Amino acid sequence: MSQFNNQRTDNLKIFTLNFSDINGRLDPLYYYSVNNLEIVNKTIYPIKKLCQVIDMQRGRFGHRPRNEPKLYGGEYPFIQTGDIVRASQSNGKITYSQTLNELGLKTSRLFDKPVVVITIAANIGDTAILDYPACFPDSLIGMTPKNNELTLQYINLYFKFIKSYLEDLAPQSAQKNINYQQLSPVPIVVPPLEIQDKAVELYEKALHESQQQQQQAQALLASIDTYLLTELGITLPEQDNSLEKRMFRVSFQQITGERFDAPIQMSQFSLHSTKYPMKRLTQSFIFNPKTIIDTKICSFIPMEKISDESGSITSVAETIEPSTSLGYTQFQDNDLLWARITPCMQNGKSAVATGLINGVGLGSTEYLIFRALHENNIHYLHAILRLCYLRRSAMLYFGGATGHQRVSPIFFKRMKIPLPPIQKQNEIAEHIQAIRTQAKQLQTQAEQLLANAKAHIEQMILGQ
């Protein structure tokens, strides 16, 4: 024992526990979480187990197969896990896309009074208030207060503070899940009702203000396409999907060496500008250029390091040794990385690489690389290739298996783009970057609003 005590140990991972506190589960992670749940350990208010103050009823849907058509299409809303996750993230009303009929109701359970619904499978600990009669499956549990000690709104809010704790309750398996027995002893702080109401009011106000700023940020980002098209004098062609337009002739010369797909030949994709000359993309930008990397280390940019929202690389700090890492896509500073695979392409995963370690990098084989020629602005090209209209049109050039479809290089090799003078390219690129910077500031402020509110609410629950 003395030898053990003399060894260097991590005091944060070693703790004592009363035998009487072990409730049928010898799981260090579970008890570590309980001991370190600060909102419980430091509060001045009473602490109860969920089972003492909350009635819990698991949803039900016993029929197999679950997708039997004869059970659906009635008047009873049928809530799914995804519906709760979305409502939890927005703190909004639970929406649904499925309904049960009388036959489906017989295999399920109707919750006809307001309940807090919590997810217990795959997604753990997301909650939302269900305020209309509905059914849901056994991957969800409905919770209501047993007495007037707790409000539904406070219960819903409280679970936002212990979500990571609940995730630790789930056994490590292919799909995480928890059950009623694991939820029952979960501790809940029971402050006075006036404190509960103030905490809920504070959170809802902060969330409303945060959502407004997020909406402003999204509106700014959505305005980029309109700005770019207007500056370049581009009017997008209207899509005519009439039967007459879907029957057409194409000369053999037009399809020689190209694709034989009818949708591609019918496509009216065009970025024709009334202000500037049209040039083939490959005349002004190198498509998939060769990059020589002769350094010992360089940046590694996997797909997840590119933000589809901001169109930027989130970090260039991860490194890789090129000599032992064959097969990756190579690029250098000021190259444009454009994801060609679904769904990354549709989501807009693309970014200009800057600040790479030793000026070079390796990344996913699913990147297409573009490099500016003749003093053109690569950020200008990035703005064009992020156009929603262009990305929708690129889907016509998908090839490969379903779920792993990739845009064909033909799409870019035949593409023509407006090419204004470099001064105008710079002006457009700088204006778009200013819009993105403003949107990012709004998003940061929105996140900070919620963080400040949560910190304040935590102090209220602690009684400080």
Side-chain angles (χ1 to χ4, degrees), residues 264-276:
I264 287 179
Q265 301 303 328
M266 187 182 75
S267 171
Q268 300 176 17
F269 172 71
S270 171
L271 294 174
H272 178 72
S273 169
T274 59
K275 295 183 178 180
Y276 303 107

Side-chain angles (χ1 to χ4, degrees), residues 346-359:
Q346 297 98 309
N347 294 339
K349 272 192 178 288
S350 57
V352 175
T354 57
L356 299 173
I357 295 171
N358 292 320

Side-chain angles (χ1 to χ4, degrees), residues 157-177:
L157 175 62
Y158 180 79
F159 275 90
K160 297 183 185 301
F161 288 85
I162 63 168
K163 189 175 188 301
S164 59
Y165 162 74
L166 293 178
E167 289 173 341
D168 287 343
L169 295 182
Q172 301 300 315
S173 60
Q175 176 176 287
K176 283 190 169 186
N177 62 82

Side-chain angles (χ1 to χ4, degrees), residues 17-204:
L17 185 69
N18 293 326
F19 182 78
S20 59
D21 292 333
I22 299 177
N23 186 21
R25 178 172 179 173
L26 192 58
D27 184 344
L29 181 59
Y30 167 72
Y31 293 106
Y32 175 76
S33 299
V34 172
N35 286 351
N36 287 276
L37 193 57
E38 186 172 301
I39 200 171
V40 169
N41 291 336
K42 294 187 177 181
T43 186
I44 65 172
Y45 298 122
I47 301 168
K48 303 286 182 71
K49 294 180 179 179
L50 287 187
C51 59
Q52 294 175 313
V53 289
I54 292 177
D55 274 323
M56 290 180 276
Q57 270 196 312
R58 195 165 185 170
R60 185 173 66 210
F61 193 74
H63 192 278
R64 297 297 183 273
R66 290 179 180 267
N67 60 350
E68 180 66 58
K70 66 181 182 181
L71 304 175
Y72 297 93
E75 61 178 286
Y76 304 103
F78 189 50
I79 309 301
Q80 301 288 345
T81 295
D83 302 325
I84 302 302
V85 172
R86 285 187 290 274
S88 177
Q89 292 171 348
S90 65
N91 206 48
K93 190 176 181 68
I94 300 173
T95 59
Y96 59 91
S97 57
Q98 282 186 312
T99 58
L100 297 178
N101 55 29
E102 294 294 339
L103 187 60
L105 179 62
K106 290 180 180 179
T107 193
S108 187
R109 171 182 286 147
L110 182 66
F111 289 78
D112 55 1
K113 294 182 180 179
V115 293
V116 175
V117 183
I118 182 171
T119 59
I120 60 170
N123 299 87
I124 306 294
D126 288 296
T127 61
I129 295 177
L130 179 63
D131 57 2
Y132 54 85
C135 304
F136 47 80
D138 56 5
S139 57
L140 302 171
I141 287 179
M143 301 184 293
T144 54
K146 284 186 174 181
N147 49 45
N148 60 2
E149 288 184 275
L150 295 169
T151 66
L152 276 180
Q153 292 75 16
Y154 173 74
I155 294 171
N156 186 41
L157 175 62
Y158 180 79
F159 275 90
K160 297 183 185 301
F161 288 85
I162 63 168
K163 189 175 188 301
S164 59
Y165 162 74
L166 293 178
E167 289 173 341
D168 287 343
L169 295 182
Q172 301 300 315
S173 60
Q175 176 176 287
K176 283 190 169 186
N177 62 82
I178 56 177
N179 55 37
Y180 174 83
Q181 288 72 26
Q182 291 161 320
L183 271 178
S184 293
V186 167
I188 182 169
V189 180
V190 186
L193 290 175
E194 59 269 23
I195 298 296
Q196 295 181 37
D197 292 340
K198 286 180 181 178
V200 170
E201 181 183 0
L202 175 61
Y203 182 77
E204 290 180 347

Side-chain angles (χ1 to χ4, degrees), residues 52 59 67-68 109 114 187 266 286-287 320 367 392 426 446 456:
Q52 294 175 313
N67 60 350
E68 180 66 58
R109 171 182 286 147
M266 187 182 75
I286 307 175
F287 178 61
I320 194 170
Y367 294 146
R392 286 197 302 269
N426 293 341
H456 189 181

